[in-house]
């Protein structure tokens, strides 16, 4: 058995059937709006989320950053949860590309309460930056794949609406939430002005994200995508992978969730390992070995030598992510390797 790669759901490789679809994609120059496969993917995504239009972008970061630029003016304030991808993993681009300041509001495993959002909105006063945008994340990455229940999402969004904020959903893993809860992508998207999601994570495409909204906003986003250097040409080759992913890889996310739950259970049986099995609800497992004698780096190296790759998220704190290229058998195998390495942690 080769290396079991639990670093991220971005490590998936296109399946033979996906490559086949890519090889036969019809293409044209997408900057001229002439790539039929891109047009089909954008229409399909808009339809799936119940919005008027969609835009294919190279990365999830670009999707979020286009939304921030669209919804704000320089000097505005954007509310995000304190460990959001937008603040932690996007290179400071909200400030450098859009000149906004980000107000990081603490959440519980990444989930914001309506009260916390309410308290973070600045009163209209010349001293204060205008709060103009609220960005939420579903599922929440640093929160360990946590999911906003629909009722909470509705209450948080309602606070934003009442104060006239624009609303963006960073739905990089939106379909993990959809499969977990049965709340449709449309029922999520109707709450927001813009929604982005990744094709290149659990859905298994090699590249790409989508941002959806109404027609007028998407035409502005299309211009901004060009401004940010994201206008692409015969990119139907990549869009065809996205179409294939939407047609074949959504339902199977349930397998990733079952595999993550099983990993959490296997870890919880190892003395010294702290993991919240109940909180492991989608495809991300967070765990700690607080009393380990060995450093984080040594633990990672021993696991790598045993054939399991994953990332640290803090001191003796780790993250596992399940995906298309991890089987139930891999999970059992990884569990055995964890027992061997962590027993001597
Ligand atoms: C992965 C991810 C993104 C996008 O990241 P890219 O590396 O640009 O694909 C955005 N938001 C969240 C929550 C993510 O996990």
């Amino acid at each position: 058995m080769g290396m079991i790669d639990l670093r991220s759901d971005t490590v998936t490789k296109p399946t033979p059937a996906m490559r086949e679809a890519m090889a036969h994609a019809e293409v044209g120059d997408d900057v001229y709006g002439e790539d039929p496969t891109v047009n089909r993917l954008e229409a399909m995504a808009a339809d799936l989320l119940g919005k008027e239009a969609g835009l294919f972008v190279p990365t999830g970061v670009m999707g979020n950053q286009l939304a921030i630029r669209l919804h704000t003016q320089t000097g505005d304030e954007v509310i995000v949860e304190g460990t959001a991808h937008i603040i932690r993993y996007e290179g400071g681009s909200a400030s450098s590309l859009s000149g906004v300041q980000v107000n990081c509001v603490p959440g519980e495993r990444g989930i914001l309460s309506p009260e916390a959002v309410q308290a973070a909105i600045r009163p209209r006063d010349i001293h204060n930056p205008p709060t103009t945008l609220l960005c939420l994340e579903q599922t929440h990455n640093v929160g360990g794949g946590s999911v906003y229940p629909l009722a909470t999402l509705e209450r948080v969004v309602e606070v934003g609406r009442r104060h006239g904020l624009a609303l963006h959903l960073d739905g990089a893993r939106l379909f993990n939430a959809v499969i977990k809860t049965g709340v449709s992508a449309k029922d999520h998207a109707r709450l927001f002005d813009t929604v982005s999601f990744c094709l290149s994570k659990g859905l298994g495409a090699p590249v790409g994200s989508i941002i959806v909204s109404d027609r007028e906003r998407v035409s502005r986003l299309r211009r901004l995508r060009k401004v940010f250097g994201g206008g692409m040409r015969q990119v139907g080759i990549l869009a065809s992978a996205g179409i294939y992913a939407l047609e074949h890889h959504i339902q199977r996310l349930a397998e990733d969730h079952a595999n993550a739950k099983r990993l959490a259970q296997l870890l919880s049986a190892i003395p010294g390992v702290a993991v919240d099995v109940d909180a492991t609800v989608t495809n991300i497992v967070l765990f700690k070995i607080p009393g380990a004698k060995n450093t984080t780096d040594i633990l990672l190296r021993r696991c790598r030598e045993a054939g399991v790759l994953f990332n640290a998220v803090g001191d003796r704190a780790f993250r596992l992510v399940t995906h298309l290229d991890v089987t139930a058998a891999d999970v059992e195998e990884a569990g055995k390797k964890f027992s061997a390495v962590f027993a001597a942690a």
Side-chain angles (χ1 to χ4, degrees):
M1 199 178 272
M3 190 66 90
I4 301 169
D5 194 342
L6 300 168
R7 287 173 301 170
S8 173
D9 44 8
T10 56
V11 301
T12 57
K13 305 219 170 101
T15 61
M18 183 181 275
R19 284 176 185 266
E20 193 62 23
M22 295 170 76
H24 296 105
E26 260 189 271
V27 297
D29 190 328
D30 182 50
V31 171
Y32 289 100
E34 290 173 3
D35 189 303
T37 310
V38 173
N39 293 342
R40 194 150 64 86
L41 171 63
E42 291 177 345
M44 204 176 148
D47 194 50
L48 195 56
L49 275 81
K51 295 288 196 196
E52 287 176 0
L55 185 71
F56 186 46
V57 291
T59 65
V61 170
M62 190 181 283
N64 284 336
Q65 294 305 323
L66 290 178
I68 290 172
R69 175 62 82 86
L70 175 80
H71 293 303
T72 62
Q73 306 278 324
T74 312
D76 285 358
E77 188 163 83
V78 176
I79 295 176
V80 303
E81 194 279 331
T83 61
H85 195 275
I86 284 174
I87 189 77
R88 290 278 283 266
Y89 301 121
E90 303 196 3
S93 48
S95 57
S96 60
L97 300 178
S98 293
V100 294
Q101 93 181 13
V102 181
N103 185 351
C104 295
V105 180
E108 185 60 38
R109 279 185 84 103
I111 306 301
L112 287 171
S113 70
E115 295 75 23
V117 171
Q118 172 74 55
I121 297 171
R122 311 273 182 195
R124 295 250 171 230
D125 178 304
I126 57 162
H127 296 88
N128 294 341
T131 309
T132 52
L133 172 63
L134 170 63
C135 297
L136 303 180
E137 191 173 311
Q138 175 87 310
T139 64
H140 201 286
N141 184 337
V142 174
S146 53
V147 179
Y148 272 95
L150 182 60
T152 310
L153 206 54
E154 285 173 337
R155 290 177 58 220
V156 171
V157 159
E158 165 54 26
V159 171
R161 286 272 176 238
R162 207 180 327 126
H163 290 83
L165 308 190
L167 293 154
H168 172 67
L169 180 64
D170 174 359
R173 297 187 180 80
L174 176 62
F175 289 99
N176 292 85
V178 168
I179 291 303
K180 177 65 198 179
T181 61
V183 176
S184 68
K186 285 194 177 86
D187 280 341
H188 281 91
R190 72 184 161 76
L191 301 173
F192 294 88
D193 300 308
T194 49
V195 179
S196 54
F197 67 92
C198 290
L199 296 161
S200 60
K201 295 218 164 126
L203 296 180
V207 181
S209 282
I210 297 277
I211 177 164
V212 298
S213 189
D214 56 47
R215 240 176 245 108
E216 194 268 331
R217 285 194 178 95
V218 169
S219 72
R220 285 162 59 207
L221 288 166
R222 192 176 293 281
R223 194 192 80 80
L224 290 172
R225 182 185 64 177
K226 192 80 178 98
V227 171
F228 280 32
M232 301 179 287
R233 303 295 177 176
Q234 286 72 23
V235 77
I237 290 174
L238 299 178
S240 65
I243 292 171
Y244 186 90
L246 291 178
E247 285 175 343
H248 298 94
H249 291 167
I250 293 180
Q251 294 305 321
R252 66 150 305 286
L253 292 171
E255 293 170 36
D256 298 345
H257 301 169
N259 285 338
K261 185 69 98 179
R262 177 69 182 151
L263 276 170
Q265 285 162 348
L266 291 168
L267 285 165
S268 73
I270 304 173
V273 176
V275 56
D276 188 337
V277 178
D278 291 336
T280 306
V281 291
T282 57
N283 71 325
I284 299 178
V285 186
L286 298 179
F287 70 98
K288 291 182 183 161
I289 316 180
K293 299 183 299 298
N294 290 299
T295 62
T296 308
D297 286 347
I298 291 175
L299 293 170
L300 286 173
R301 177 159 53 74
R302 296 222 170 123
C303 287
R304 188 173 67 238
E305 284 162 4
V308 194
L309 271 180
F310 54 97
N311 286 327
V313 293
D315 180 30
R316 296 169 175 84
F318 305 95
R319 184 187 82 159
L320 310 176
V321 186
T322 56
H323 52 77
L324 189 59
D325 294 347
V326 173
T327 65
D330 290 336
V331 164
E332 298 306 319
E333 189 65 24
K336 285 185 199 137
K337 294 174 194 291
F338 289 145
S339 294
V341 174
F342 297 152

